Amino acid sequence: MSETTSTRAARLSDVARLAGVSAATASRALNGSDRGVREANRAKVLEAAKTLGYTTNVAAQAVARGRNRGVTLVVKGIPEDYANPIISGVVTAAQRRGLPVTITSAGTDPADLVEAVHNARSHRPEILMITGGRATDDATIPELVDALQRYEAEGGRVVLITQPGLPFDTVAYENRKGGYDMAKTLAGLGYRNFAVISGMKHGLTQRDRTAGFIEGLAESGIQLPADRVLIGEFTRDAAYAMTGDLLRRGIPVEAIFAVNDAMALGVLTFLRDAGRSIAVAGFDDIQALRDVTPSLSTVHLPWDQVADEALTMAMGPRGDEPRTIMIEGHVVVRESTPSVVP
Amino acid sequence: MSETTSTRAARLSDVARLAGVSAATASRALNGSDRGVREANRAKVLEAAKTLGYTTNVAAQAVARGRNRGVTLVVKGIPEDYANPIISGVVTAAQRRGLPVTITSAGTDPADLVEAVHNARSHRPEILMITGGRATDDATIPELVDALQRYEAEGGRVVLITQPGLPFDTVAYENRKGGYDMAKTLAGLGYRNFAVISGMKHGLTQRDRTAGFIEGLAESGIQLPADRVLIGEFTRDAAYAMTGDLLRRGIPVEAIFAVNDAMALGVLTFLRDAGRSIAVAGFDDIQALRDVTPSLSTVHLPWDQVADEALTMAMGPRGDEPRTIMIEGHVVVRESTPSVVP
DNA sequence: CCCGCTGCGGAAAACGTTTCCGTTAGGATT
DNA sequence: AATCCTAACGGAAACGTTTTCCGCAGCGGG
């Protein structure tokens, strides 16, 4: 406890004094770009800042400017081990534009999301981006919409990466069509007996993907009995467990459609552990798939493009109406769904 | 452009006025926990905050308090798809303690790290946590140390999750010993001809793991020729490519040690693609391994514990001297390194 | 020689909180 | 009934920036 000389952090006025200019000039030299500062002074300020180890106090900056630079990304349930492709997409896209991005995570509970949004809102970022599926039965939606609308009214920018339907600029991807296409593809490969491993009942993402899949099957002349749709948590581990349940029931299944890749991996691994050979298909085309055997058939989504569109929309002028950009995916057939010889 | 009524965000004084109390009281009711507020008033304030859709302006709060609540985590190169186990560990550990965590990512370049730290520092968080390997030849280290020491002098808390040796509280894991143990284990399984797939020359993590491995081999009576240590980027893709180089050279290799799991997966996949059967071992024991075949032998590290120790250290009192906590891993033998029958 | 620009610098007023400190009310103690 | 304590409250001064507004100098054109 000897050398704990608790110094104050250097502040702008310190820099200004050392450089022999006013705080206003120092500010202009360091951050405010619009107005000119004589070259000699600018150099002195930069020099002084360096010797003092000065860092802008962004909090103070945000207070003065009324807004925080950059984008705040609210994500549902980070701790999943398979990286969320949206996160890396947004981070890279923002980096390319020189925007700082702050990630705040919410639990999987809808109420957590609202809280996380409140939290993010309290940072007053220029851009507030929210990702994570919505649920139909979600009682917190009105509250969420309210908070976000208020935020927009205050001059903030809101972009959603999720299902369309909320009154905000949205980048969405074709969940239903992806499921539909996958069903047709699998039927085309000769499969007839299916099961679906899905997530929480009311989640829109999984609901649309499942509904699309069922519709695609129906159009191929295949009825999917209700008990073939298993529902649980939206995670790899839950999918692993659900596959066990499914097999224990002794239903003859030829192919399992999991509503996302992480879950599909859980299914795949369970089947391998159990020594069963059943076709598996997923959704998302996360990078982790590259290292898995058999390679997984899935619906590819161009995540980088999704993130990029979202950022472009956020940085562009605000439209009169909320816009929605739909991104299409396409089915990729790999080893996990070999064609069936009749 | 009709209803773009750009309202001001509600501020504390608005809430106070509506509740019929002073700003001071409103502040105490909403955030300042220490002092008492009469129950009736507290209720009125909360009510008013709700109807106004008030959110604390954390920037202003940070300015007033002089510090931002929570931990800022600086990570090297987020966009890797295999989730960094440290990130999820820290996020969960912080969540459990009710601390908000902000993640800022730096590129892979050392200079990027310094910049990211400057950036993080400018947020004035209570806790500044840095993860990502250090390099020996890193010219930016003095600058980094300087910035961090200044930060501590200003009253901030710095914790590193990386190699020991810098004058800050550090949580480190036994890289050298892990490599060493892995070598002995593999030798014990009967392997004799090895190659190592490693990352950037001067990275301490990979250097220690590699050095430990070589030492372990030596102690088992095996010399590892220098040309058997391949060096490239610290990523899965680079490892994939390096494995190709290795095989093209026609060296008879029985087992490949990759200095981390992501790289080991690249190796594994290349071997599979090339139809070769060579033993592979990694390091870290990331969760993604569960879904891969053959299951990968690796050095297990208790990441949740690492993160937890780091947070505990950060929240506890500051010691007179920087402390270092070493976390040990242990070898896990799985299918990718079957025992060799001589 | 005067006038109006232009370009730059500084003083000071915001920005939205927290917190210090003084004040008041009301109950407990003599 | 007078005094002392304590708890709750409010006014106002911070916190570290940005930005507005004003002043000043220098300069070219009339």
Side-chain angles (χ1 to χ4, degrees):
Chain A
M1 54 176 63
S2 48
E3 23 79 46
T4 316
T5 7
S6 192
T7 331
R8 255 199 316 84
R11 46 176 185 233
L12 192 60
S13 62
D14 297 330
V15 175
R17 189 164 349 102
L18 181 58
V21 300
S22 75
T25 302
S27 168
R28 291 194 265 254
L30 289 170
N31 312 309
S33 44
D34 54 334
R35 281 222 5 199
V37 172
R38 216 182 329 174
E39 199 42 43
N41 279 339
R42 179 187 307 280
K44 272 193 292 184
V45 170
L46 261 45
E47 166 77 14
K50 182 150 216 169
T51 65
L52 289 178
Y54 171 77
T55 356
T56 307
N57 182 328
V58 289
Q61 201 170 48
V63 171
R65 292 204 171 131
R67 209 144 276 297
N68 238 317
R69 203 174 119 70
V71 14
T72 293
L73 178 66
V74 179
V75 190
K76 257 179 162 168
I78 267 197
E80 266 287 301
D81 195 53
Y82 285 109
N84 186 326
I86 300 184
I87 298 185
S88 42
V90 170
V91 170
T92 22
Q95 222 156 248
R96 194 168 22 205
R97 292 173 164 84
L99 282 182
V101 25
T102 294
I103 303 171
T104 82
S105 80
T108 45
D109 203 69
D112 291 343
L113 216 208
V114 174
E115 170 157 349
V117 166
H118 265 92
N119 228 299
R121 191 154 87 90
S122 71
H123 281 94
R124 310 276 192 273
E126 294 169 325
I127 300 171
L128 187 49
M129 205 172 271
I130 301 182
T131 151
R134 225 167 56 249
T136 53
D137 68 337
D138 191 342
T140 65
I141 289 276
E143 198 177 341
L144 192 66
V145 170
D146 181 57
L148 292 178
Q149 273 175 340
R150 282 197 148 108
Y151 198 66
E152 282 198 326
E154 293 161 16
R157 211 73 162 59
V158 174
V159 175
L160 270 35
I161 303 184
T162 177
Q163 292 80 28
L166 256 29
F168 304 97
D169 284 347
T170 304
V171 176
Y173 27 88
E174 301 275 13
N175 285 318
R176 188 182 187 91
K177 179 154 186 315
Y180 176 90
D181 289 349
M182 179 56 87
K184 293 225 112 170
T185 304
L186 293 181
L189 287 170
Y191 295 98
R192 287 297 171 267
N193 280 297
F194 295 92
V196 175
I197 301 277
S198 185
M200 323 166 303
K201 285 193 284 245
H202 299 287
L204 273 182
T205 306
Q206 47 268 44
R207 203 197 56 173
D208 289 354
R209 291 177 180 183
T210 303
F213 189 77
I214 292 177
E215 186 187 330
L217 287 186
E219 232 174 78
S220 312
I222 302 172
Q223 289 304 325
L224 189 71
D227 66 335
R228 301 291 185 86
V229 179
L230 275 73
I231 284 172
E233 293 255 323
F234 204 47
T235 64
R236 180 256 182 216
D237 289 350
Y240 184 96
M242 282 191 268
T243 310
D245 291 348
L246 178 69
L247 295 191
R248 264 189 296 283
R249 283 201 260 146
I251 305 175
V253 172
E254 298 164 351
I256 298 177
F257 173 55
V259 293
N260 74 22
D261 282 345
M263 298 181 83
L265 289 181
V267 173
L268 212 55
T269 300
F270 184 92
L271 293 177
R272 188 162 51 229
D273 290 354
R276 297 290 298 268
S277 163
I278 295 179
V280 179
F283 205 119
D284 283 349
D285 203 13
I286 60 177
Q287 293 226 9
L289 294 193
R290 295 177 304 176
D291 299 317
V292 132
T293 35
S295 57
L296 190 71
S297 299
T298 191
V299 179
H300 171 84
L301 283 177
W303 294 109
D304 286 345
Q305 189 193 340
V306 168
D308 211 78
E309 297 276 10
L311 233 48
T312 306
M313 196 143 71
M315 299 187 67
R318 176 129 145 244
D320 299 354
E321 295 279 299
R323 288 156 299 177
T324 296
I325 297 183
M326 288 301 282
I327 305 277
E328 268 198 53
H330 62 266
V331 172
V332 188
V333 177
R334 300 205 181 100
E335 300 162 4
S336 67
T337 56
S339 115
V340 177
V341 276
Chain B
M1 54 177 60
S2 47
E3 22 80 47
T4 317
T5 7
S6 193
T7 332
R8 254 199 317 82
R11 48 177 182 229
L12 191 59
S13 61
D14 298 329
V15 175
R17 189 165 348 103
L18 182 58
V21 298
S22 75
T25 303
S27 168
R28 292 192 266 255
L30 289 169
N31 311 308
S33 43
D34 54 335
R35 290 237 342 222
V37 172
R38 217 179 333 177
E39 200 41 45
N41 280 339
R42 178 187 308 280
K44 272 192 293 185
V45 170
L46 262 44
E47 166 76 15
K50 182 151 214 168
T51 64
L52 289 179
Y54 171 79
T55 356
T56 307
N57 182 329
V58 290
Q61 201 170 47
V63 171
R65 291 202 171 132
R67 209 144 276 297
N68 238 316
R69 202 174 121 69
V71 12
T72 292
L73 179 65
V74 179
V75 190
K76 257 178 162 167
I78 266 196
E80 267 286 300
D81 196 51
Y82 285 110
N84 186 327
I86 300 184
I87 298 185
S88 42
V90 170
V91 170
T92 21
Q95 223 155 248
R96 193 168 24 205
R97 291 173 164 84
L99 282 181
V101 24
T102 294
I103 303 171
T104 82
S105 78
T108 45
D109 203 69
D112 291 343
L113 216 209
V114 174
E115 170 156 350
V117 167
H118 265 91
N119 229 298
R121 192 154 86 89
S122 70
H123 280 95
R124 310 275 191 274
E126 292 168 326
I127 300 171
L128 187 50
M129 204 171 272
I130 300 182
T131 152
R134 221 164 62 248
T136 53
D137 68 337
D138 192 341
T140 65
I141 290 276
E143 199 177 339
L144 192 67
V145 170
D146 181 57
L148 292 179
Q149 273 175 341
R150 281 197 147 109
Y151 197 66
E152 282 197 326
E154 293 161 18
R157 213 72 162 58
V158 174
V159 175
L160 270 35
I161 303 184
T162 176
Q163 292 80 29
L166 256 29
F168 304 98
D169 284 346
T170 303
V171 176
Y173 28 88
E174 301 274 14
N175 286 317
R176 188 183 187 92
K177 180 155 184 315
Y180 176 91
D181 289 348
M182 180 56 86
K184 294 224 115 172
T185 303
L186 293 181
L189 287 169
Y191 295 97
R192 287 298 172 265
N193 281 296
F194 295 93
V196 176
I197 301 277
S198 183
M200 323 166 304
K201 286 192 282 251
H202 299 286
L204 273 182
T205 306
Q206 47 268 43
R207 203 197 56 172
D208 289 353
R209 291 178 180 182
T210 302
F213 189 78
I214 292 176
E215 186 186 329
L217 287 188
E219 233 173 76
S220 312
I222 302 172
Q223 288 304 324
L224 189 72
D227 66 335
R228 301 291 185 85
V229 179
L230 275 72
I231 284 172
E233 293 255 325
F234 204 47
T235 65
R236 180 258 182 214
D237 289 349
Y240 185 96
M242 281 191 268
T243 310
D245 291 347
L246 178 69
L247 296 191
R248 264 188 294 283
R249 285 202 258 148
I251 306 175
V253 173
E254 297 166 353
I256 299 177
F257 172 56
V259 293
N260 74 23
D261 283 345
M263 298 181 83
L265 289 180
V267 173
L268 213 56
T269 299
F270 184 91
L271 293 176
R272 186 162 53 228
D273 290 353
R276 300 289 298 267
S277 161
I278 296 180
V280 179
F283 205 120
D284 283 349
D285 203 12
I286 61 177
Q287 293 226 8
L289 295 192
R290 297 176 302 176
D291 299 317
V292 132
T293 34
S295 57
L296 191 70
S297 299
T298 191
V299 179
H300 172 85
L301 283 176
W303 294 109
D304 286 344
Q305 189 194 341
V306 167
D308 211 79
E309 297 275 12
L311 232 48
T312 306
M313 197 143 69
M315 300 186 66
R318 177 129 144 244
D320 298 356
E321 295 278 301
R323 289 157 298 176
T324 296
I325 297 182
M326 288 301 282
I327 306 278
E328 269 198 54
H330 61 267
V331 172
V332 188
V333 177
R334 300 205 181 101
E335 298 163 3
S336 67
T337 56
S339 117
V340 177
V341 276

